[in-house]
Amino acid sequence: MTATSAFFERLTVAGQDPRFSNVCGSVRFDIRDGDRLEQWLLNIDHGRMRVTRSAGPAETVIRVSAEVAEAMARGEVNGLAAITRGEILVDGDLAMALRIGRLFPRASEQADSDGRK
Amino acid sequence: MRDIPGTVSCIDGNTFLVSDASGDVESSSNTPVGLFAADTRFLSHWVLTVNGERLNALSVDDSQYYEVTFFVVPGGAVDYVQADVSAIRRRRIGPDLTESLTMFNYGQQDVDLDVRLEVAADFADIFEIKFNVQDKVGSHYTRVEPKELRLGYRRGTYRREVSLSASEPATFDPHGLRFTARLRPGEQWSTELRVVMRALRPDGVDFRAPLRALRPHDSTLPESVRAWVEAAPKLDTENIALQQVYQRSLVDLAALRFAPLSLGGASVPAAGLPWFMTLFGRDSLLTCLQTLPVTPSLTPPTLRILGSLQGARTDDVLDEDPGRILHELRYGESAAFEEQPHSPYYGTVDASPLFVVLLDEYERWSGDTALVTELEQEARAALAWIDQYADLRSTGYIWYHSRNPATGLENQCWKDSWDSISYADGRLPSFPRATCETQGYAYDAKIRGARLARTVWGDPDYADRLEREAAALYDRFNEDFWLDDRGYYALALDGEGNRVDSLSSNIGHLLWSGIVPPERASRVVEHLMGPALFSGWGVRTLAEGQSRYNPLGYHNGTVWPFDNSFIAWGLRRYGFASEAARVAEGILYAATYFQGRLPEAFGGFDRHTTRYPVRYPTAGSPQAWSSGASMLLLRTMLGINPHEDHLAVDPALPSAFARIALLDIPGRWGKVDAFARHRPDQP
C-alpha cells in the first residue's frame, strides 16, 4: 500500500476529529499518476468525517501529483509553501484546504519525543 | 537594508509602489523601491523620458494613499526649466497598477514628442532585497506582443508574470514601450498604462484573480476609504495636531488593510511599509487591541485567520507547536521554496496569549459572543500551548528557544532583534529566555480566558482552573522577576533562571496586563517616568545607563509609539492618569514632526536637547501599530472602558489638549459619545 492510501485509510478508520467539530464541508483530493487518477472524497459534518474513494462533487478540490501526495502522507510537505509554488492546486475554499492540511503529519513530529510535555 | 529618503509611496494592503519624487523607479539590489505584491517585486525599473530627457517633479500630491499625482517637466533640476512641455503622471494602485500620463504643450510651436518608458522586472523576493541576494535560481522570460509586454519569472511550478499595456498605440520592445505624438500649441495628449501582476499556477490560473474579482475596478477604492472613515467615530477637538494625527492614522489603517486569499474578501492589517507588508500575529493582534474603539471591524477577520492558521503539529523549521499562533506569513519565492520558514513561521511567544486577550477585549466591546463560541477551540488551544509547549524549563513560565537555528528568530518577544535582551552590563543571556512582559500577557490571557469560559463557553470548572493558574503565576512571577533593590522587574530570566537585570520599557506592559501588585506599581511608574527611561517624548525601549543603551538602537533605546500606547493604558489601569497623559502628549506631539504619521520608532534622544523627535533611519512608515498607537492613546486620555452594556468615560487630558470629544463610538451600547475637558487641577 502506498503512504497515500495508508493515510486515507487511517482517516476512514478514525471517523471523528475533535479539531473539526465546527467544520462542515467537502474536500476532494485528485491525485494524478501519469494517466491514472485516484480520487478521495472527504465529507466533514461537525467533526464526523466520512472518507470514500469517489469522484463525487466537492466544494473544494485539491489537485496534486502522486509524488507530492506520497510526500504529504509521509509528512514531508509544507502545504502552504507547496500551494504558493504551484505544486498543490486548490480550487474552492482555500481556508478549508488549509484546515484539511492539518490532518497530514509533519516529519519532525515523528522524530520528536524529547523533553516535551 | 537602508533608508530611502525622498520616496513616494502608493499603497493598497500588501500591494505597493515606492518610487522617487518624479514617479520613476530605479532599483538597486538592496533598496525596497518598485512595485510589489505578495512579497515579490513585479517592477524594478520604471523610468519615463520625453525626447530623451528624464522628468523632474514640480509637485507631488500623495494625499490619497492609493493614488499619487506627479506634476513633472523634462529637464534636470539644476537647469533653467523651459517648461513649454509639462506632464501629469497619475497612478492608482489596487490589485494592479494603472498610471495615466498626460502631456501638455503650452509653448508657441508644435512639438514632436518621443515618450519612452523603460521597464524591467527582477521578481526579487522582499527577503532577497533585505539580505542583498542577487542570484536567482529560476529564469526570466520576456514576451513582446503587438499590444503588450510580458515579463515573467519561472522556477519549476512557480511562476510570476507582469504585463504592461497602454490605451494609446505604442511600440513595445523587450525593455519598455514608446509613444510618438505631435502636439500643436495648447494641445494635450494622454494615455493610460495598465500593469497587471499575476501569480500563475501551472494550469494557467492566476492566484490573484480572486482579489480582482472582489474589487472589480480600482475606482471602487475611494468609495471604500470614504466608507471606512465614515464608519469610524468623529474626533472633535480644537487641537489641530491631534485632529491631523487621528485622520492620518485612520487613513493609514485603511491603506494597510489587505485581504488574504483564504478569508474570502475580509481584510486584516498588514504590519508596515516597506518590510512588513504581510500578516504578523503579534502586530495584527496588538493593532486590533489598540483600535477596538475606532475600527472594530479589523478584529474578527484577524482572529479568524490567525485561528485558521494556528499551529497543529510540531515542526522544528517553522517553530510550530499545536495551539501556537503564527508570527509571520509570507507568499514570496523564499517562503514558497522554504528557504525562509515563513509559510507560516510560528516563532513568537506572545501572539498565543494575545489571541485570547483580544478575543476577550473584543467581546467586552462588541458583545459578539458568537465569535467567542466560533473560536472556542482555538482559544483553548492557545491557552493550552502556554503550559504544554512554552514552558521549556518546567518552571511555569513562557520561555523561548528557537528550534531553527539557521533561519528562526533568536528573540521571540516583540523586541525580536538579536541583541534586544541583555543584562545591564551588556552581556547577552543564555537560552531559553523568558521575558517579563510575556508572563504578563499569559496572566492576562488566563484571567480573560476564565471570563470567557464562565460567561460564554459554559465551563466553570475550566474557568476555576485558569484562575487558579493565573493566581499561581502572579505569585511566582512577583517572586522570581522582582528586583527589590532596584524597584523594578527584571527584563527576563536567562537559561539558568537568573534575572536579566536591565531596566527596560517591558515593565510598562506589566501594568497593562495587571500582574503588578498595587503596592509595587508606584516604584515601577517612577522608573517609567524617570529620566533614564522617559525621553520627554516617550518611554525608551532600554534605559539610559544600561550598557547597550543607544538612542538609535532599534530595540535598545529608541522610542516606539506602540510600546508607549500600551504603557499609557497600563498607567491608567493603575490610576496613574497624569503620567498616562504625559506619555500621550509626548507621543502625539512627536507625530506632528512626521506629518501626523507616527513611524515605527524614533530616536531616544532627550526632548529638551533635540527639541524634535529624531528620525530612526530604517523605521517603517506607515506602520499599523504606530497608527493604532494614536487610537489607543486617545482611549487612555478619554478613559473609555466597556462596563457591561455601557461605555464608562473617565477622562484625564494633558494640558496640551483643552477639549476632546469622540463621537459615535461603536459597541454593544450602539453608538455613544465621550467628552473630555482638561481640568486645571491636572497636569
Side-chain angles (χ1 to χ4, degrees):
Chain A
M1 199 194 298
T2 62
T4 310
S5 7
F7 167 76
F8 284 108
E9 297 295 345
R10 267 204 311 281
L11 285 189
T12 316
V13 175
Q16 184 85 29
D17 191 318
R19 290 176 298 175
F20 290 85
S21 65
N22 286 340
V23 180
C24 293
S26 55
V27 179
R28 197 182 71 222
F29 283 82
D30 286 5
I31 302 165
R32 186 167 287 283
D33 188 1
D35 292 338
R36 217 169 63 83
L37 181 65
E38 185 178 318
Q39 293 177 303
W40 291 88
L41 181 63
L42 275 64
N43 279 296
I44 304 168
D45 179 10
H46 293 94
R48 214 166 49 80
M49 207 170 308
R50 210 158 53 83
V51 185
T52 47
R53 282 194 82 139
S54 163
E59 291 148 15
T60 301
V61 176
I62 299 172
R63 283 187 284 148
V64 287
S65 68
E67 192 186 350
V68 170
E70 280 293 291
M72 286 166 74
R74 287 196 303 264
E76 295 163 6
V77 176
N78 176 326
L80 196 57
I83 292 170
T84 311
R85 66 176 180 262
E87 253 175 37
I88 299 177
L89 308 189
V90 177
D91 292 300
D93 183 354
L94 181 58
M96 182 63 151
L98 294 174
R99 269 176 189 275
I100 290 296
R102 293 178 177 179
L103 293 170
F104 290 88
R106 287 292 278 159
S108 56
E109 196 164 36
Q110 285 146 15
D112 183 83
S113 57
D114 52 326
R116 318 229 91 211
K117 290 202 278 186
Chain B
M1 176 161 133
R2 64 188 165 93
D3 194 17
I4 38 171
T7 57
V8 179
S9 307
C10 200
I11 310 169
D12 179 40
N14 69 350
T15 305
F16 61 97
L17 173 52
V18 182
S19 72
D20 68 18
S22 69
D24 285 344
V25 172
E26 278 182 288
S27 72
S28 65
S29 55
N30 62 346
T31 319
V33 296
L35 174 65
F36 291 83
D39 308 315
T40 304
R41 179 156 63 190
F42 281 83
L43 286 177
S44 49
H45 196 84
W46 182 257
V47 173
L48 184 66
T49 55
V50 174
N51 296 340
E53 278 192 296
R54 293 284 290 267
L55 296 142
N56 198 33
L58 300 180
S59 74
V60 178
D61 173 9
D62 61 352
S63 50
Q64 304 294 331
Y65 64 80
Y66 52 83
E67 188 177 80
V68 184
T69 306
F70 304 86
F71 300 88
V72 290
V73 291
V78 290
D79 301 337
Y80 169 70
V81 177
Q82 176 62 41
D84 284 349
V85 171
S86 54
I88 295 178
R89 304 172 84 167
R90 177 175 287 131
R91 67 178 49 142
R92 182 177 277 185
I93 201 153
D96 296 298
L97 172 73
T98 53
E99 180 163 323
S100 69
L101 173 65
T102 306
M103 310 282 312
F104 302 91
N105 177 12
Y106 287 112
Q108 304 299 313
Q109 267 112 45
D110 290 8
V111 287
D112 286 308
L113 296 178
D114 170 30
V115 179
R116 168 80 180 153
L117 187 66
E118 291 265 355
V119 180
D122 65 358
F123 296 97
D125 181 286
I126 190 88
F127 283 86
E128 292 168 355
I129 298 168
K130 198 168 183 172
F131 300 126
N132 202 6
V133 177
Q134 313 232 7
D135 299 322
K136 291 196 73 78
V137 176
S139 52
H140 290 82
Y141 62 85
T142 303
R143 283 187 198 137
V144 182
E145 286 164 25
K147 293 187 171 178
E148 192 173 58
L149 172 62
R150 281 176 183 254
L151 302 171
Y153 175 77
R154 198 193 293 270
R155 175 174 169 188
T157 48
Y158 175 93
R159 191 171 149 210
R160 300 293 179 261
E161 191 177 275
V162 62
S163 69
L164 168 64
S165 59
S167 63
E168 294 301 302
T171 322
F172 291 87
D173 63 74
H175 306 290
L177 76 172
R178 164 167 274 128
F179 305 94
T180 50
R182 164 169 285 233
L183 290 189
R184 289 202 293 272
E187 263 191 345
Q188 67 181 62
W189 170 93
S190 65
T191 186
E192 184 171 273
L193 301 156
R194 185 153 177 79
V195 179
V196 177
M197 295 172 277
R198 296 189 182 87
L200 295 165
R201 307 197 313 199
D203 59 356
V205 170
D206 178 11
F207 283 113
R208 303 188 76 250
L211 299 177
R212 278 177 216 111
L214 290 167
R215 256 220 323 257
H217 195 262
D218 55 16
S219 64
T220 56
L221 258 171
E223 177 55 31
S224 123
V225 177
R226 201 194 56 75
W228 170 263
V229 172
E230 192 61 36
K234 302 285 161 293
L235 179 69
D236 183 12
T237 174
E238 87 299 339
N239 189 295
I240 293 166
L242 187 58
Q243 192 64 256
Q244 183 197 23
V245 181
Y246 183 72
Q247 289 305 326
R248 183 80 255 173
S249 302
L250 201 53
V251 170
D252 282 345
L253 286 166
L256 292 168
R257 286 174 303 166
F258 82 106
L261 288 171
S262 62
L263 271 185
S267 295
V268 300
L273 191 80
W275 301 109
F276 312 115
M277 292 302 262
T278 189
L279 180 69
F280 279 81
R282 173 190 306 124
D283 294 61
S284 59
L285 290 164
L286 291 175
T287 301
C288 288
L289 279 162
Q290 291 170 317
T291 56
L292 277 175
V294 179
T295 55
S297 64
L298 287 174
T299 292
T302 298
L303 288 168
R304 282 200 179 100
I305 192 165
L306 292 175
S308 78
L309 293 167
Q310 184 172 39
R313 300 166 299 200
T314 302
D315 185 309
D316 293 344
V317 175
L318 304 178
D319 272 328
E320 178 181 2
D321 308 304
R324 197 169 190 176
I325 297 296
L326 69 85
H327 175 59
E328 178 174 4
L329 174 62
R330 295 279 186 177
Y331 307 96
E333 185 182 349
S334 66
F337 288 92
E338 300 170 53
E339 292 151 357
Q340 293 287 339
H342 297 140
S343 48
Y345 182 56
Y346 290 91
T348 171
V349 285
D350 46 21
S352 303
L354 290 172
F355 179 85
V356 181
V357 171
L358 176 62
L359 184 61
D360 175 68
E361 185 71 13
Y362 171 72
E363 196 283 329
R364 284 167 20 95
W365 281 83
S366 66
D368 182 358
T369 51
L371 188 71
V372 178
T373 305
E374 180 187 325
L375 295 175
E376 176 181 349
Q377 284 198 43
E378 287 81 358
R380 283 175 181 263
L383 286 162
W385 174 83
I386 293 173
D387 299 308
Q388 289 175 20
Y389 295 93
D391 188 5
L392 300 178
R393 292 187 75 246
S394 302
T395 50
Y397 295 118
I398 292 181
W399 299 85
Y400 60 79
H401 188 185
S402 179
R403 308 198 295 274
N404 175 352
T407 51
L409 281 174
E410 273 183 64
N411 282 316
Q412 303 192 347
C413 52
W414 86 258
K415 294 176 180 174
D416 58 3
S417 55
W418 67 276
D419 62 346
S420 65
I421 306 299
S422 62
Y423 301 94
D425 64 12
R427 285 174 301 123
L428 298 178
S430 55
F431 290 98
R433 295 173 183 169
T435 55
C436 65
E437 82 290 354
T438 316
Q439 319 312 323
Y441 302 158
Y443 169 77
D444 197 20
K446 285 173 188 279
I447 296 282
R448 288 169 180 268
R451 192 189 79 87
L452 296 176
R454 192 164 282 126
T455 59
V456 184
W457 302 332
D459 190 346
D461 293 344
Y462 183 46
D464 290 345
R465 197 189 98 202
L466 287 171
E467 280 168 352
R468 277 196 308 277
E469 290 172 2
L473 173 57
Y474 182 97
D475 292 342
R476 188 163 61 237
F477 175 80
N478 275 287
E479 177 73 30
D480 294 344
F481 279 73
W482 180 249
L483 298 163
D484 197 45
D485 55 328
R486 318 258 182 105
Y488 61 83
Y489 290 91
L491 168 59
L493 300 182
D494 68 17
E496 287 74 45
N498 302 311
R499 296 171 182 142
V500 180
D501 59 349
S502 281
L503 176 59
S504 68
S505 66
N506 302 46
I507 60 174
H509 289 232
L510 298 172
L511 296 173
W512 170 53
S513 299
I515 200 171
V516 179
E519 64 274 16
R520 278 185 182 166
S522 59
R523 293 188 75 186
V524 171
V525 174
E526 270 170 42
H527 283 291
L528 287 168
M529 305 310 291
L533 271 177
F534 194 70
S535 77
W537 299 109
V539 178
R540 301 177 176 104
T541 41
L542 190 67
E544 268 185 333
Q546 315 306 293
S547 175
R548 284 184 186 263
Y549 170 75
N550 171 356
L552 290 176
Y554 191 56
H555 292 131
N556 285 333
T558 54
V559 172
W560 287 58
F562 112 82
D563 191 23
N564 277 269
S565 68
F566 283 91
I567 294 169
W569 193 358
L571 288 167
R572 284 238 57 182
R573 177 170 181 160
Y574 278 80
F576 295 88
S578 62
E579 288 80 359
R582 269 177 76 196
V583 172
E585 187 277 335
I587 296 293
L588 292 168
Y589 258 89
T592 61
Y593 294 85
F594 301 100
Q595 291 76 50
R597 176 180 280 170
L598 284 166
E600 180 184 25
F602 54 84
F605 299 101
D606 185 69
R607 184 173 183 172
H608 300 292
T609 311
T610 60
R611 295 175 183 275
Y612 57 89
V614 174
R615 201 173 131 76
Y616 178 75
T618 57
S621 181
Q623 187 93 354
W625 65 13
S626 294
S627 303
S630 49
M631 305 308 188
L632 180 51
L633 290 170
L634 204 53
R635 173 181 176 175
T636 61
M637 289 192 293
L638 291 168
I640 47 177
N641 268 309
H643 274 287
E644 313 270 304
D645 278 334
H646 71 276
L647 184 70
V649 183
D650 178 20
L653 299 190
S655 58
F657 307 131
R659 182 181 60 80
I660 297 176
L662 194 61
L663 309 174
D664 289 335
I665 304 166
R668 59 202 303 163
W669 41 81
K671 287 189 172 179
V672 299
D673 305 334
F675 298 94
R677 274 183 190 285
H678 174 68
R679 296 189 359 228
D681 57 318
Q682 286 171 349

